[in-house]
Amino acid sequence: MRRVAVVTGAAGGIGGAVVDRLVAEDWRIVAVDVRGGELAKQAARWPDQVLAEVADVRDQRALTRAVAHAEREFGGVDAAVGCAAVMAGGKPLWETEDTDWDALFEHGVRGIFHLARAAVPALLRRPEPRSGRFVAIASAAAHHGLWHLAGYNAAKHAVVGLIRGLASDLRGTGVTATAVSPGSTRTAMLDATAELYQLGDVEEFAQHQLIERLLDPEEVAAAVCWLCSAQSSAITGTVVHADGGFTA
């Protein structure tokens, strides 16, 4: 039986790479993103395996509908992957505006909370023995302070804390909860970070990673998709550092 996943932030970047890799591994996907045009293009590439659900992760009812869509169309949910987030900052913490702080937490933390509240009951509705997976994208910023990005640091720390608590709540159910912390990856988020830092080239971020290059979204997606697999059953309540050595 094909496994089924709900993926947020699925229209591009790491989320889009996760969708592509899961499809290649014969999963069925409900792909969720607020960017309807990009999401439609993503889903059109895999018409038999990917259903597009235009939704904002800040909207609990929208994510609940997305999960219900997966159960109705594909028969259940085996994994939920939270990739949606935004970048904001560029100032020291004491000058950070409420709008930036709120955006970081509303998308990057509350969005993961909303996904968990919608998806975990569906994961638990699968019959025992279960192998459900909840995976959230954190960041190397959850483990290492970044200049003028204290709000982003705080939000990603919160994602890791949420995952640790969720894993404890899921004890003994067969469902696991993990986070993946990427390093600097070629995505629109990295472009936005470079803009905040007034950098002319995102390649400057490569110097902070032991592999001395930027990561491709597909490399991070490989870690995420392994965590979605039955083979990752020993991993829960912790973080996989797919960061190219950023936090070594």
Side-chain angles (χ1 to χ4, degrees):
M1 183 175 64
R2 284 177 168 176
R3 286 167 66 78
V4 180
V6 176
V7 181
T8 67
I14 292 170
V18 167
V19 171
D20 288 347
R21 190 174 185 94
L22 287 176
V23 166
E25 295 176 4
D26 207 30
W27 286 65
R28 292 183 175 182
I29 314 293
V30 171
V32 180
D33 206 294
V34 73
R35 298 166 292 176
E38 293 91 334
L39 187 64
K41 293 176 185 176
Q42 171 77 315
R45 297 171 58 211
W46 315 103
D48 297 326
Q49 289 178 257
V50 178
L51 296 175
E53 187 85 18
V54 179
D56 191 322
V57 295
R58 296 172 295 179
D59 183 347
Q60 179 69 74
R61 289 178 295 180
L63 288 190
T64 300
R65 286 194 299 269
V67 171
H69 195 181
E71 291 190 291
R72 184 173 61 252
E73 296 298 325
F74 294 144
V77 176
D78 300 288
V81 183
C83 300
V86 298
M87 174 55 69
K91 298 178 181 178
L93 179 63
W94 57 93
E95 295 179 8
T96 298
E97 298 175 2
D98 287 350
T99 52
D100 285 348
W101 184 271
D102 292 345
L104 289 164
F105 277 82
E106 287 296 310
H107 290 87
V109 184
R110 188 178 292 274
I112 298 295
F113 166 53
H114 285 166
L115 179 62
R117 197 154 59 176
V120 169
L123 296 172
L124 293 173
R125 281 192 284 271
R126 283 300 209 192
E128 296 186 34
R130 302 185 190 94
S131 57
R133 305 287 183 256
F134 189 93
V135 185
I137 297 297
S139 170
H143 317 280
H144 182 85
L146 299 179
W147 184 69
H148 284 184
L149 289 178
Y152 187 69
N153 284 137
K156 292 304 184 179
H157 270 78
V159 170
V160 173
L162 183 155
I163 287 297
R164 293 191 191 282
L166 176 59
S168 295
D169 288 343
L170 289 168
R171 179 174 181 165
T173 64
V175 178
T176 65
T178 53
V180 174
S181 284
S184 295
T185 307
R186 294 185 188 280
T187 63
M189 286 273 288
L190 192 64
D191 294 338
T193 308
E195 186 174 343
L196 289 176
Y197 283 155
Q198 298 182 337
L199 297 179
D201 190 346
V202 294
E203 296 298 331
E204 294 188 40
F205 291 114
Q207 65 183 304
H208 302 294
Q209 300 182 162
L210 296 184
I211 60 174
E212 297 186 342
R213 62 173 176 80
L214 300 180
L215 294 162
D216 290 323
E218 293 76 16
E219 293 178 281
V220 180
V224 172
C225 295
W226 179 76
L227 288 172
C228 289
S229 73
Q231 288 73 34
S232 69
S233 56
I235 313 298
T236 193
T238 192
V239 179
V240 172
H241 294 271
D243 64 5
F246 188 101
T247 55

